Each structure stands twice: as C-alpha cells, then as structure tokens.
Amino acid sequence: MTAIGILLKIAQVLLIIVGVLLAAVILLLIMILFFWPVRYYINGSFKDNTPDGEINVKWIMGLVRAKAAYHKGEKLKAYVKVAWIKVYDFFPDEGESDGYDGVLESDILDGGFEDGFPGESGEPGYYIGSEDDPHAGGANAETGAGEAGGAAGGDEDGGEATEAKAAAFAGKKQGIFEKLKAAAEGVVRSIKAEIAALKKKVHDAAEAGINKLKALWQKAAETFINIRDNVTDKKAKAEKLYALYKDERYQDAVMMVKKRVVRLLKEIAPTKGRGRVRYGGGDPFATGQAMQAAAMLYPFYHKHIEVIPDFDQNIIDAELDVRGRIRIFVVAEAAIRIFFSKKLRRMYKKARKILELD
C-alpha cells in the first residue's frame, strides 16, 4: 500500500469519527431539547380586582429564562433572556424626549391694538341739532314764534280757532277708534294664526310619533325574526357537529385527542406549592356553573390548589405559590400525532363546511 492510500484510509477514519461525534452531539441536543423539562414558578395574588405577582420560566438550568411580573403601582414587565442577555422585551421602557413640545415665547401674540381701536380718532365729538330736538333751534323755535304771534292777534280769530280745535279733537278721536279696531283685528288674526300653528304642530308631532312607533315595531319584528333564524341555524349546526363528533368512523381519532389532552393537563398541573381560589358569581346559579367546570379539572389540581365557592358574593380572591414542570417531548408528541392524523383532518374539513367557513 502506497503512502497516498494510507493517507486516504486515515482521512476516511477521521471523517467517520467526526460524523459519529456530530451525530452524538445532535442526538444529545435533541434529547436535551425534548427531555429537559421547562420549569415554571407562579407566585402572586388577585384581590380587589387587582393582580399582583410574577411568573418565572426556566429551561436548561436557567440558560433560557422568561419572566412576567406586575406589582401594584409598577409597570408590567415581560422579557426573555438567553445566557443572561435580554433578547426580547415585550414592554420596553420608553425613552424621554429631548425636544420641547410646548409653545415658544415668540409664538405668543399680545392682545389689543397698538394704535387704539379702529375708528378711535381721539378728537372731541360735535353735537348737531335737529328739527325734532327740543334743545336745538329750528322748527320748534319757529312754532313758538308763531304761537306768540297768534296770541298777539287778539280775539278776532277766537271763534275760528275754537272750531278748528273741535274738528281736530274729533279727528283725533276717530283716529283712536280706528287704531283700536285695527289693533283688535290684529290680535284676533294673531290668535287664529297661533291656533293654526299649534294645530299643525300637534298634528305633525302625532304623525311623527306614529311613524316612529311603526319603525320601532318593524325593527323589533325584524330583530325577532333574525334571532329566531340565528337560533334555528345554530341549533342545526350544533346538531350536525354533534353527529360528526359521534360518528363511528372517527371515534378512534376522538379518543386519541382525549388521551393527549388529559396527558397534557397532567403535565401542566403544578407539582409543588399551595394555592387558594375563592370564587363567587353573585348568585347560586352562576357559582354552581363555575363549580361544575372546576370539578372537571379537579383531578389535576386538587393536591395543591383549593377552590372555595361563595354563593352570596360576586368575588374572585386568589393566592398562588406553586411550581411545576413541562416536558417538551410530551407536548411535541401530542402535537405531532394530532397534526398528522388523517381522520382528524377530515373531521376538521367537514366541521368547516358545517360552520360555512370555507
């Protein structure tokens, strides 16, 4: 065998060794990923409708960590760390802005006018008299002069003046009666107009009320018909879904899902610690329904969590200090079997058609 052949043999052996080592490392990583459990720790309370506590999750001896915490008066925190380096923060702190968002002093405008109000001249006003002004000269002054002249005329025109005054008084009296009559007729017309407007307003209001009642009645009838149709449709869909669930052809797939769900619940259930939950729905019926749902999960939490019903108050009061672990291979195995089940796929497609989602 030549030297080249020997070198090739050595290279082949080295490649095989490297391949075996790589396979071993990959297998080890797979075993770590699938069989190393994720551990969680929950410590907190819920009182007076206010949560207070934190959730810690660790994996591979704390190499990968996640935390979510909320304490009264503090901001909600949630982040993920790898090797003590924060790789993702769900609620990062917002940095303070260096800019000034207020109004600058130069943007403030002074009120008023620099040169006074418009039309303000500062000059004194002048009074201009008129003929109707008793303080001004004009027609009144002339009238006074005329009266003085008439008085100086003596008694020559006394009789004529008396007759003229009587005629003027009679004309004024007749004018007053005419004005009163016109005023009365105007009042009567105004009252008739007000009555007609009130009648129209009442008629329009009554017609609008009747139309509104008709619209409400029609809307109520349409709503009732829609509710009836929806209830009928949902009832028919529920019956079809139940028939699909009870179909003998898919019972083995349904049983497989039930077993996987039960196994997942057992896996997620806490293994250490104690907790207490006090619940009341405000009335015995609501509380009883909640207790029925809690009774279905009782085998998974009864060792570490105590559930206390309250049939008188509407209350949720909880205190938890529990921890547990979740093995990834259990979750992965359930997800793979459910995802690749052909019968479940057929059930899913039929259910979508029943629900008219396609």
Side-chain angles (χ1 to χ4, degrees):
M1 182 178 292
T2 61
I4 296 175
I6 294 173
L7 291 175
L8 290 175
K9 287 289 185 181
I10 294 172
Q12 289 177 356
V13 173
L14 290 175
L15 288 174
I16 292 172
I17 293 172
V18 171
V20 171
L21 290 175
L22 286 175
V25 170
I26 293 172
L27 182 61
L28 180 62
L29 289 175
I30 293 174
M31 291 181 65
I32 290 174
L33 292 175
F34 280 90
F35 292 95
W36 200 297
V38 176
R39 301 188 180 276
Y40 67 86
Y41 171 59
I42 303 175
N43 181 16
S45 63
F46 188 89
K47 295 181 178 180
D48 298 328
N49 296 324
T50 303
D52 187 294
E54 58 184 45
I55 301 173
N56 290 278
V57 179
K58 296 182 179 180
W59 188 38
I60 311 177
M61 299 179 66
L63 184 64
V64 180
R65 293 185 298 166
K67 182 177 181 179
Y70 177 79
H71 299 286
K72 188 175 181 180
E74 298 181 4
K75 182 183 176 182
L76 177 63
K77 298 179 181 179
Y79 57 82
V80 178
K81 288 185 177 181
V82 176
W84 300 278
I85 298 174
K86 187 181 292 186
V87 295
Y88 190 80
D89 194 340
F90 293 92
F91 303 98
D93 295 331
E94 297 179 0
E96 296 182 358
S97 175
D98 295 331
Y100 179 72
D101 296 332
V103 180
L104 297 178
E105 186 177 355
S106 60
D107 294 334
I108 302 176
L109 301 178
D110 295 331
F113 296 92
E114 296 180 358
D115 300 329
F117 291 96
E120 195 176 74
S121 63
E123 298 178 358
Y126 295 94
Y127 184 82
I128 300 175
S130 64
E131 295 181 353
D132 298 331
D133 194 337
H135 299 288
N140 292 332
E142 294 176 357
T143 305
E147 290 177 354
D155 297 331
E156 295 178 356
D157 298 330
E160 296 178 359
T162 302
E163 293 178 358
K165 287 181 180 180
F169 178 76
K172 288 182 180 180
K173 187 176 180 180
Q174 185 178 2
I176 290 172
F177 284 129
E178 291 178 354
K179 288 181 179 180
L180 289 175
K181 182 179 179 181
E185 291 177 352
V187 170
V188 172
R189 286 195 300 268
S190 177
I191 292 173
K192 289 182 178 180
E194 290 291 336
I195 293 173
L198 181 61
K199 287 182 178 180
K200 186 176 185 304
K201 191 173 182 180
V202 171
H203 178 268
D204 294 342
E207 187 176 359
I210 293 172
N211 293 333
K212 190 173 182 180
L213 289 175
K214 288 181 179 179
L216 289 175
W217 175 258
Q218 185 177 0
K219 187 176 181 181
E222 292 176 355
T223 303
F224 175 77
I225 293 172
N226 291 333
I227 293 174
R228 183 196 62 187
D229 294 341
N230 288 334
V231 169
T232 304
D233 182 60
K234 289 181 179 180
K235 182 180 178 181
K237 290 179 179 179
E239 291 175 352
K240 291 180 180 179
L241 289 174
Y242 184 75
L244 178 64
Y245 170 76
K246 287 294 186 178
D247 195 330
E248 293 293 337
R249 294 173 295 178
Y250 306 114
Q251 285 306 300
D252 53 348
V254 172
M255 292 303 298
M256 184 269 292
V257 173
K258 288 182 179 180
K259 290 180 180 178
R260 294 300 176 278
V261 170
V262 170
R263 190 176 181 185
L264 286 175
L265 291 174
K266 289 181 179 179
E267 189 69 20
I268 296 172
T271 57
K272 295 180 181 179
R274 297 296 301 174
R276 178 186 61 82
V277 179
R278 182 183 176 192
Y279 173 79
D283 60 88
F285 179 74
T287 305
Q289 285 186 323
M291 290 302 104
Q292 287 180 358
M296 298 177 63
L297 302 176
Y298 180 78
F300 306 107
Y301 65 78
H302 72 282
K303 292 182 180 180
H304 304 283
I305 300 177
E306 181 184 9
V307 178
I308 304 172
D310 191 323
F311 294 96
D312 298 326
Q313 303 181 59
N314 186 4
I315 185 174
I316 300 177
D317 189 356
E319 293 181 358
L320 291 177
D321 186 6
V322 296
R323 63 188 64 200
R325 53 100 180 100
I326 303 172
R327 292 171 294 180
I328 296 178
F329 78 90
V330 176
V331 180
E333 187 265 345
I336 290 171
R337 293 202 61 176
I338 291 174
F339 181 78
F340 288 101
S341 174
K342 295 181 179 179
K343 291 184 178 180
L344 288 178
R345 287 186 179 181
R346 287 197 290 268
M347 287 184 68
Y348 175 72
K349 290 180 180 179
K350 289 185 177 181
R352 286 184 64 90
K353 289 182 178 179
I354 293 173
L355 297 174
E356 298 178 356
L357 299 177
D358 293 330

